[in-house]
Amino acid sequence: MDICSVDNHICSKLGHIIKKQNFRADFYTRHFLHLEAKEETKFRAYFFSVLICHQTYALESEKRQLFGWEFLEYVFAKLAENESPLLDPAFMLKVGAKHLAYLIKPLFSDTLEADDSTLDRIEERVGLMIDAAEIIESEYDGKVRPIFEQALLFHNGEGVYERLEKMEGFADPLRKKSSFLLKLLADAALFSPKDPQYLVPIMDYHMQRVLLRSGAVRIIDASLAHKLRYKIPLETDLEIRTAAIEAMRIIAHESSYDVLKMNDIFYLLGRSCCLDDPLCRSGKCAKTPCSLTNALELPAHKSCIFQDVCLAAIDDNFIDYWQPIVETHYY
């Protein structure tokens, strides 16, 4: 028996709401997408920042009011514009995992002290960097850019998705990090796939939470619903995330925007409007200013853009949903 399903009707409604939204131009002209650096250095900055971006609950700079991915953007922009050897695969392999962790950890501290770093799981993240560096050195002459010269996403085992999945950091069968990397490269005018119909929607925990609460993804299995509502760890989230990706394809189609652009709605909404105390119930966002206003032309808002169609706005059975709790480096 299936444990979850996609509600096409709600997906269609969400898509039509997004269709009416206007995206802010400055979100796509932000500093990280327009680095003053050599082209290969830009590729490295985007590649390695995405590679280590998973489970970033603790990552923050209180001094700069940067959280999660925003802090990663800040640090990797500086590394790129300073032509730091920390972006060089050959240097990573030369110094080794332990010393690389020693060098990276202070970068994510407001005091520049390793003990104050908010970048956790450092050994795991550095291990992923070393693994990728070995493949880049052995197969791509130490450069990241050639990975993307094959502009097909799938092509006899040598498409971009297929090349990336050989590295542990991009091994997710649902390709979250790979798709997010492709989105960054596209937004920075560094990559455009020849077969965009094969792009896989980006799916992380914030986005799953929004789709579960809205009713776009319906949980059929009562035991699973209980675990999601009470934040009980799961062995796998594969079926839920697969359904969420299917839902996102429908939403994107109905919105007339491409599937990767959905990240700029659902991720930002999930981390601000639909977190622990959702906007639809509390009248306020978790972050000030609301993260979603970075991407959308929104006035100060006391209601969620999805409030009129989202089931969580009126039904406690849906507002209580949390994203799957899984141990993963996929997102």
CSV table of all heavy atoms in Angstrom, one decimal, residues 280-311:
chain,number,residue,atom,x,y,z
A,280,CYS,N,0.3,31.6,9.2
A,280,CYS,CA,-1.1,31.5,9.1
A,280,CYS,C,-1.8,31.5,10.4
A,280,CYS,O,-3.0,31.8,10.5
A,280,CYS,CB,-1.5,30.3,8.2
A,280,CYS,SG,-1.0,28.7,8.9
A,281,ARG,N,-1.1,31.1,11.5
A,281,ARG,CA,-1.7,31.0,12.8
A,281,ARG,C,-1.2,32.1,13.7
A,281,ARG,O,-2.0,32.6,14.6
A,281,ARG,CB,-1.4,29.7,13.5
A,281,ARG,CG,-1.8,28.4,12.7
A,281,ARG,CD,-3.4,28.4,12.6
A,281,ARG,NE,-3.8,27.2,11.9
A,281,ARG,CZ,-4.2,26.1,12.6
A,281,ARG,NH1,-4.3,26.1,13.9
A,281,ARG,NH2,-4.6,25.0,12.0
A,282,SER,N,0.0,32.5,13.6
A,282,SER,CA,0.6,33.5,14.5
A,282,SER,C,0.6,34.9,14.0
A,282,SER,O,0.7,35.9,14.8
A,282,SER,CB,2.1,33.2,14.8
A,282,SER,OG,2.9,33.3,13.6
A,283,GLY,N,0.4,35.1,12.7
A,283,GLY,CA,0.4,36.5,12.1
A,283,GLY,C,1.8,37.1,12.0
A,283,GLY,O,1.9,38.3,11.7
A,284,LYS,N,2.9,36.3,12.1
A,284,LYS,CA,4.2,36.8,12.0
A,284,LYS,C,5.1,35.7,11.4
A,284,LYS,O,4.9,34.5,11.6
A,284,LYS,CB,4.8,37.3,13.3
A,284,LYS,CG,4.9,36.3,14.4
A,284,LYS,CD,5.4,36.9,15.7
A,284,LYS,CE,5.5,35.8,16.8
A,284,LYS,NZ,6.0,36.3,18.0
A,285,CYS,N,6.2,36.2,10.8
A,285,CYS,CA,7.2,35.2,10.2
A,285,CYS,C,8.3,34.9,11.2
A,285,CYS,O,8.5,35.7,12.1
A,285,CYS,CB,7.8,35.8,8.9
A,285,CYS,SG,6.6,36.0,7.6
A,286,ALA,N,8.9,33.8,11.0
A,286,ALA,CA,10.0,33.4,11.9
A,286,ALA,C,11.2,34.3,11.8
A,286,ALA,O,12.0,34.4,12.7
A,286,ALA,CB,10.4,32.0,11.7
A,287,LYS,N,11.4,34.9,10.6
A,287,LYS,CA,12.6,35.8,10.4
A,287,LYS,C,12.1,37.2,10.0
A,287,LYS,O,11.1,37.4,9.4
A,287,LYS,CB,13.5,35.2,9.3
A,287,LYS,CG,14.2,33.9,9.8
A,287,LYS,CD,15.1,33.4,8.7
A,287,LYS,CE,16.0,32.2,9.3
A,287,LYS,NZ,15.2,31.1,9.8
A,288,THR,N,12.9,38.1,10.5
A,288,THR,CA,12.6,39.5,10.2
A,288,THR,C,13.8,40.2,9.5
A,288,THR,O,14.8,40.2,10.1
A,288,THR,CB,12.2,40.3,11.5
A,288,THR,OG1,11.1,39.7,12.2
A,288,THR,CG2,11.8,41.8,11.1
A,289,PRO,N,13.7,40.6,8.3
A,289,PRO,CA,12.5,40.5,7.5
A,289,PRO,C,12.2,39.1,7.0
A,289,PRO,O,13.1,38.3,7.0
A,289,PRO,CB,12.8,41.4,6.3
A,289,PRO,CG,14.3,41.3,6.1
A,289,PRO,CD,14.8,41.3,7.6
A,290,CYS,N,11.0,38.8,6.6
A,290,CYS,CA,10.6,37.5,6.1
A,290,CYS,C,11.6,37.1,4.9
A,290,CYS,O,11.8,37.9,4.0
A,290,CYS,CB,9.2,37.6,5.6
A,290,CYS,SG,8.7,36.1,4.6
A,291,SER,N,12.1,35.9,4.9
A,291,SER,CA,13.0,35.4,3.9
A,291,SER,C,12.3,35.5,2.5
A,291,SER,O,13.0,35.8,1.5
A,291,SER,CB,13.4,34.0,4.2
A,291,SER,OG,14.1,33.9,5.4
A,292,LEU,N,11.0,35.2,2.4
A,292,LEU,CA,10.4,35.2,1.2
A,292,LEU,C,10.4,36.6,0.5
A,292,LEU,O,10.4,36.6,-0.8
A,292,LEU,CB,8.9,34.7,1.3
A,292,LEU,CG,8.1,34.4,0.0
A,292,LEU,CD1,8.8,33.3,-0.8
A,292,LEU,CD2,6.7,34.0,0.4
A,293,THR,N,10.4,37.6,1.2
A,293,THR,CA,10.5,39.0,0.6
A,293,THR,C,11.8,39.2,-0.1
A,293,THR,O,11.9,40.2,-0.8
A,293,THR,CB,10.2,40.1,1.7
A,293,THR,OG1,11.2,40.0,2.7
A,293,THR,CG2,8.8,39.9,2.3
A,294,ASN,N,12.8,38.4,0.2
A,294,ASN,CA,14.0,38.5,-0.6
A,294,ASN,C,13.8,38.2,-2.1
A,294,ASN,O,14.5,38.8,-3.0
A,294,ASN,CB,15.1,37.6,-0.1
A,294,ASN,CG,15.6,38.0,1.3
A,294,ASN,OD1,15.6,39.1,1.7
A,294,ASN,ND2,16.1,37.0,2.1
A,295,ALA,N,12.9,37.3,-2.4
A,295,ALA,CA,12.7,36.8,-3.7
A,295,ALA,C,11.4,37.4,-4.4
A,295,ALA,O,11.4,37.6,-5.6
A,295,ALA,CB,12.6,35.3,-3.8
A,296,LEU,N,10.4,37.7,-3.6
A,296,LEU,CA,9.2,38.1,-4.1
A,296,LEU,C,8.9,39.6,-3.8
A,296,LEU,O,9.3,40.1,-2.7
A,296,LEU,CB,8.0,37.3,-3.6
A,296,LEU,CG,7.9,35.9,-4.0
A,296,LEU,CD1,6.6,35.2,-3.5
A,296,LEU,CD2,8.0,35.7,-5.5
A,297,GLU,N,8.2,40.3,-4.6
A,297,GLU,CA,7.8,41.7,-4.4
A,297,GLU,C,6.5,41.6,-3.5
A,297,GLU,O,5.4,41.6,-3.9
A,297,GLU,CB,7.5,42.4,-5.7
A,297,GLU,CG,8.7,42.6,-6.5
A,297,GLU,CD,8.4,43.3,-7.9
A,297,GLU,OE1,7.2,43.5,-8.1
A,297,GLU,OE2,9.4,43.5,-8.6
A,298,LEU,N,6.8,41.5,-2.2
A,298,LEU,CA,5.7,41.4,-1.2
A,298,LEU,C,5.7,42.5,-0.2
A,298,LEU,O,6.8,42.9,0.2
A,298,LEU,CB,5.8,40.1,-0.4
A,298,LEU,CG,5.5,38.7,-1.1
A,298,LEU,CD1,5.8,37.6,-0.1
A,298,LEU,CD2,4.1,38.7,-1.5
A,299,PRO,N,4.6,43.1,0.1
A,299,PRO,CA,4.5,44.1,1.1
A,299,PRO,C,4.6,43.4,2.5
A,299,PRO,O,4.7,42.1,2.5
A,299,PRO,CB,3.1,44.7,1.0
A,299,PRO,CG,2.3,43.6,0.4
A,299,PRO,CD,3.3,42.8,-0.5
A,300,ALA,N,4.7,44.1,3.6
A,300,ALA,CA,4.7,43.5,4.9
A,300,ALA,C,3.4,42.7,4.9
A,300,ALA,O,2.3,43.1,4.6
A,300,ALA,CB,4.7,44.5,6.0
A,301,HIS,N,3.5,41.4,5.3
A,301,HIS,CA,2.3,40.6,5.3
A,301,HIS,C,2.0,39.8,6.6
A,301,HIS,O,2.9,39.4,7.3
A,301,HIS,CB,2.5,39.5,4.1
A,301,HIS,CG,3.7,38.7,4.2
A,301,HIS,ND1,5.0,39.2,4.1
A,301,HIS,CD2,3.9,37.4,4.5
A,301,HIS,CE1,5.9,38.3,4.2
A,301,HIS,NE2,5.3,37.2,4.4
A,302,LYS,N,0.8,39.8,6.9
A,302,LYS,CA,0.3,39.1,8.1
A,302,LYS,C,-0.4,37.8,7.7
A,302,LYS,O,-1.0,37.1,8.6
A,302,LYS,CB,-0.6,40.0,8.9
A,302,LYS,CG,0.1,41.2,9.5
A,302,LYS,CD,-0.8,42.0,10.4
A,302,LYS,CE,0.0,43.2,11.0
A,302,LYS,NZ,-0.8,44.0,11.9
A,303,SER,N,-0.4,37.4,6.5
A,303,SER,CA,-0.9,36.2,6.1
A,303,SER,C,0.0,35.5,5.0
A,303,SER,O,0.6,36.3,4.2
A,303,SER,CB,-2.4,36.3,5.5
A,303,SER,OG,-2.4,37.2,4.4
A,304,CYS,N,0.0,34.2,4.9
A,304,CYS,CA,0.8,33.5,4.0
A,304,CYS,C,0.2,33.6,2.6
A,304,CYS,O,-1.0,33.7,2.4
A,304,CYS,CB,0.9,32.0,4.4
A,304,CYS,SG,1.7,31.0,3.2
A,305,ILE,N,1.1,33.6,1.6
A,305,ILE,CA,0.6,33.7,0.2
A,305,ILE,C,-0.3,32.5,-0.2
A,305,ILE,O,-1.2,32.6,-1.1
A,305,ILE,CB,1.7,33.9,-0.8
A,305,ILE,CG1,2.6,32.7,-0.8
A,305,ILE,CG2,2.5,35.2,-0.6
A,305,ILE,CD1,3.6,32.6,-2.0
A,306,PHE,N,-0.1,31.4,0.5
A,306,PHE,CA,-0.9,30.2,0.3
A,306,PHE,C,-2.1,30.0,1.2
A,306,PHE,O,-2.8,29.0,1.2
A,306,PHE,CB,0.0,29.0,0.4
A,306,PHE,CG,1.1,28.9,-0.6
A,306,PHE,CD1,2.3,28.3,-0.3
A,306,PHE,CD2,0.9,29.3,-1.9
A,306,PHE,CE1,3.3,28.2,-1.3
A,306,PHE,CE2,1.9,29.2,-2.9
A,306,PHE,CZ,3.1,28.7,-2.6
A,307,GLN,N,-2.4,31.0,2.0
A,307,GLN,CA,-3.3,30.9,3.1
A,307,GLN,C,-4.7,30.4,2.7
A,307,GLN,O,-5.4,29.7,3.4
A,307,GLN,CB,-3.4,32.2,3.9
A,307,GLN,CG,-4.2,32.1,5.2
A,307,GLN,CD,-3.6,32.8,6.4
A,307,GLN,OE1,-2.5,33.2,6.3
A,307,GLN,NE2,-4.4,32.9,7.4
A,308,ASP,N,-5.2,30.9,1.6
A,308,ASP,CA,-6.5,30.6,1.1
A,308,ASP,C,-6.7,29.2,0.6
A,308,ASP,O,-7.9,28.7,0.5
A,308,ASP,CB,-7.0,31.6,0.0
A,308,ASP,CG,-7.1,33.0,0.5
A,308,ASP,OD1,-7.3,33.2,1.7
A,308,ASP,OD2,-7.1,34.0,-0.3
A,309,VAL,N,-5.6,28.5,0.3
A,309,VAL,CA,-5.8,27.1,-0.2
A,309,VAL,C,-5.1,26.1,0.7
A,309,VAL,O,-5.4,24.9,0.6
A,309,VAL,CB,-5.2,27.0,-1.6
A,309,VAL,CG1,-6.0,28.0,-2.5
A,309,VAL,CG2,-3.7,27.2,-1.7
A,310,CYS,N,-4.2,26.5,1.6
A,310,CYS,CA,-3.4,25.6,2.4
A,310,CYS,C,-4.3,25.0,3.5
A,310,CYS,O,-4.9,25.7,4.3
A,310,CYS,CB,-2.2,26.3,3.0
A,310,CYS,SG,-1.3,25.4,4.2
A,311,LEU,N,-4.3,23.7,3.6
A,311,LEU,CA,-5.1,23.0,4.6
A,311,LEU,C,-4.7,23.3,6.0
A,311,LEU,O,-5.5,23.3,7.0
A,311,LEU,CB,-5.1,21.5,4.4
A,311,LEU,CG,-5.7,21.1,3.0
A,311,LEU,CD1,-5.7,19.6,2.9
A,311,LEU,CD2,-7.2,21.6,2.9
